[in-house]
């Protein structure tokens, strides 16, 4: 039997009115340096108990941009191969923004923080297509579609 091992990554789509929170990944990051993406990170070992995905989203958002979020909902998942060659399972969540001003907590990891509308996301050259797709899917969950 063939064994499979995946790193589990959790991304958080944080919304504020009609804007979405994106981070500019630090230039020294191993995977996708310099692009605009969603805050998030790896599920730690051991996992965070019964609500591992939700806890990971909350922890990573707090660690990366210094804010707390409320309700965390599942949006979608998929697999990809990181620039490092690791096989990854990516889980995208929709996260309720509860307040505070997001700021980079570690500039090596997060160079800057941006609130962008859907229109601005589509016009920004440093936002990859998969990030736009995650935001679209989160928007559908948010709208109840």
């Amino acid at each position: 039997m063939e064994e499979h091992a995946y790193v589990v990554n959790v991304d958080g789509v944080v919304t504020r009115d009609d804007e979405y929170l994106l981070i500019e990944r630090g230039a020294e990051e191993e995977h996708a340096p310099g692009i605009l993406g969603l805050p998030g990170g790896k599920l730690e070992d051991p996992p965070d108990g019964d609500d591992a995905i939700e806890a990971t989203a909350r922890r990573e958002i707090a660690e990366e941009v210094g804010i707390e979020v409320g309700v965390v909902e599942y949006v979608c998942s998929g697999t990809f191969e990181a620039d490092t060659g690791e096989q990854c399972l990516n889980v995208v969540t929709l996260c309720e923004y509860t307040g505070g001003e997001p700021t980079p907590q570690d500039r090596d990891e997060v160079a800057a923080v941006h609130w962008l509308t859907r229109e601005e996301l589509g016009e920004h050259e440093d936002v990859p297509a998969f990030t736009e797709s995650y935001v679209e899917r989160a928007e559908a969950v948010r709208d109840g579609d």
Side-chain angles (χ1 to χ4, degrees):
M1 181 172 167
E2 190 175 334
E3 289 190 37
H4 300 279
Y6 287 85
V7 171
V8 177
N9 187 70
V10 179
D11 284 336
V13 178
V14 181
T15 62
R16 177 179 73 181
D17 299 321
D18 65 342
E19 297 177 309
Y20 298 89
L21 179 66
L22 273 81
I23 60 167
E24 181 180 331
R25 295 179 56 82
E28 301 303 316
E29 284 290 284
E30 285 184 356
H31 177 70
I35 70 162
L36 292 182
L38 301 168
K42 296 177 185 174
L43 181 77
E44 292 182 351
D45 187 29
D48 295 310
D50 292 337
D51 297 317
I53 299 300
E54 294 89 341
T56 298
R58 285 188 179 94
R59 185 191 73 247
E60 287 292 333
I61 290 167
E63 286 177 3
E64 290 186 359
V65 298
I67 64 169
E68 293 184 16
V69 295
V71 175
V72 176
E73 296 179 70
Y74 172 82
V75 172
C76 64
S77 61
T79 58
F80 69 95
E81 184 174 313
D83 298 342
T84 60
E86 291 178 304
Q87 297 301 310
C88 299
L89 168 63
N90 196 55
V91 180
V92 179
T93 61
L94 175 62
C95 302
E96 176 190 28
Y97 173 68
T98 57
E101 191 56 41
T103 56
Q105 301 299 296
D106 177 350
R107 294 242 180 227
D108 289 337
E109 187 175 353
V110 177
V113 177
H114 306 275
W115 285 109
L116 300 174
T117 64
R118 282 278 296 115
E119 183 177 309
E120 292 169 331
L121 269 166
E123 294 171 353
H124 207 291
E125 64 185 38
D126 291 333
V127 177
F130 64 85
T131 298
E132 283 189 71
S133 173
Y134 293 158
V135 168
E136 285 174 15
R137 295 191 63 184
E139 205 168 67
V141 169
R142 186 178 182 198
D143 294 341
D145 295 343

